[in-house]
């Protein structure tokens, strides 16, 4: 199984277009050691030819350009994207679907709740119906359920419900439902090796622990370093945990969670532009390295 990181930043990318925090200002001026990043998405393949796209970032066209496997040019009109799996209905994970409107009907896999949000509060599926169309495939989140994607044989997927809020435009924004946000276990059926992918992870619920412990690689939420990161910068009044992201540092943070995992390779993805781990020679990055935790970057590849 081959995993390609198309984008490793949180919503807004890095540097964010309107942000002048020390990270964004520093990377623009070249005064900090940091790489620009697109908004988060990964692509997964078993044969290097047909790919499953996990989330469709607003930066999708740039991501395709940077990764020729997604445009293999085998025909007059062609794509290596066989299907799209949506882990939620957030803008930074779905807007890129509009960039795929010139092709065939999109094979989209998502939960009932995500489909509801994308046909009501943010009706992207309805809009796409006037262009390429959408073939929707329901993702179940019941224990023991899983799914395969016919166009990408050799891979098996299992969705895991995560506690989170639906997007601001959702009809049930203040009434969370199972399926608003999921993590996904992706398994190579031949080798049995697997990765657990969850770019939005606000709490380590009991049902997640066995999945994290059994994974060969975990690629999980790296949004914030501290719980009060946005508050201290004066950007927001909400803390990381309030908006569904477990910070890396502090009691019960992602570092302590990762320390309890002996088997998997540990990678943080979906990194907010304010997070000091973006700076490659920062003390925070050194602390992650000391704990055996990697920071995803655009173009990173993982083979399992």
């Amino acid at each position: 199984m081959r995993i390609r990181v198309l984008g490793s930043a949180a919503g807004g990318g890095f540097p964010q277009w309107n942000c002048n925090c020390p990270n964004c200002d520093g990377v623009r001026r070249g005064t900090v050691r940091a790489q620009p990043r697109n908004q988060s998405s990964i692509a997964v393949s078993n044969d290097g030819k047909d790919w499953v796209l996990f989330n469709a970032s607003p930066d999708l066209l740039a991501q395709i350009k940077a990764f020729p496997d997604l445009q293999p040019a085998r025909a007059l009109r062609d794509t290596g994207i066989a299907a799209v799996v949506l882990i939620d209905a957030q803008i930074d994970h779905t807007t890129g679907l509009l960039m795929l409107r010139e092709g065939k009907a999109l094979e989209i896999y998502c939960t009932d709740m995500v489909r509801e949000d994308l046909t009501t509060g943010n009706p992207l599926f309805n809009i796409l119906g006037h262009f390429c169309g959408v073939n929707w495939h329901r993702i179940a989140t019941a224990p023991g359920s899983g799914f395969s994607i016919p166009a990408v044989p050799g891979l098996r997927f299992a969705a895991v419900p995560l506690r989170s809020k639906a997007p601001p435009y959702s009809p049930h924004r203040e009434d969370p439902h199972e399926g608003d946000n999921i993590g996904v276990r992706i398994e190579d059926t031949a080798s049995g090796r697997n990765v657990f992918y969850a770019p939005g992870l606000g709490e380590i619920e009991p049902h997640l622990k066995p999945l994290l412990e059994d994974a060969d690689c975990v690629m999980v939420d790296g949004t914030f370093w501290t719980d009060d990161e946005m508050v201290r910068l004066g950007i927001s009044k909400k803390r990381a945990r309030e908006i569904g992201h477990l910070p890396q540092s502090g009691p019960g943070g992602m570092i302590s969670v990762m320390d309890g995992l002996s088997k998997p390779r540990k990678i943080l993805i979906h990194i907010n532009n304010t997070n000091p781990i973006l700076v490659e020679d920062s003390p925070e990055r050194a602390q992650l390295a000391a704990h055996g935790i990697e920071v995803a970057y655009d173009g990173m590849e993982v083979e399992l």
Side-chain angles (χ1 to χ4, degrees), residues 1-5 43 195 216-217 219 265 267 294 299-304:
M1 174 167 52
R2 184 177 164 199
I3 304 162
R4 171 83 175 202
V5 175
V195 59
D216 295 287
C217 177
M219 192 172 284
R265 180 177 176 182
I267 303 173
E294 301 173 61
M300 182 183 197
E301 293 219 6
V302 176
E303 291 194 16
L304 294 176

Side-chain angles (χ1 to χ4, degrees), residues 162-165 181 198-203 221 223-224 227 238-247 270:
L162 304 177
R163 192 170 296 165
S164 180
K165 277 189 172 184
N181 182 32
L201 187 55
E203 180 181 342
D221 194 332
T223 310
F224 297 113
D227 192 41
K238 293 186 177 180
R239 305 173 80 87
R241 286 181 170 87
E242 289 181 75
I243 55 177
H245 297 289
L246 186 67
H270 193 271

Side-chain angles (χ1 to χ4, degrees), residues 87-89 113-114 117 164-166 172 176-182:
I87 60 119
D88 58 35
M113 291 298 101
V114 170
D117 288 342
S164 180
K165 277 189 172 184
H172 60 274
H177 286 56
E178 183 172 302
D180 287 334
N181 182 32
I182 59 171

Side-chain angles (χ1 to χ4, degrees), residues 44-57:
V44 180
S45 177
N46 193 42
D47 60 7
K49 297 178 181 179
D50 297 302
W51 295 81
V52 179
L53 186 66
F54 282 79
N55 295 328
S57 149

Side-chain angles (χ1 to χ4, degrees), residues 18-41:
N18 66 342
C19 185
N20 295 300
C21 71
N23 285 353
C24 291
D25 184 63
V27 76
R28 286 195 194 97
R29 295 174 181 270
T31 57
V32 298
R33 286 185 57 198
Q35 299 180 42
R37 285 167 160 82
N38 286 319
Q39 295 170 82
S40 86
S41 175

Side-chain angles (χ1 to χ4, degrees), residues 6 22 33 45 85-86 90 96 112 115 127 129 131 133 135 144 169 213 226 236 238 278 283 292 300:
L6 302 176
R33 286 185 57 198
S45 177
V85 174
L86 301 176
Q90 300 287 350
D112 289 321
R115 179 177 182 268
I127 294 169
F131 296 91
N135 292 330
Y169 43 77
E213 292 168 351
T226 61
S236 173
K238 293 186 177 180
L278 289 169
M300 182 183 197

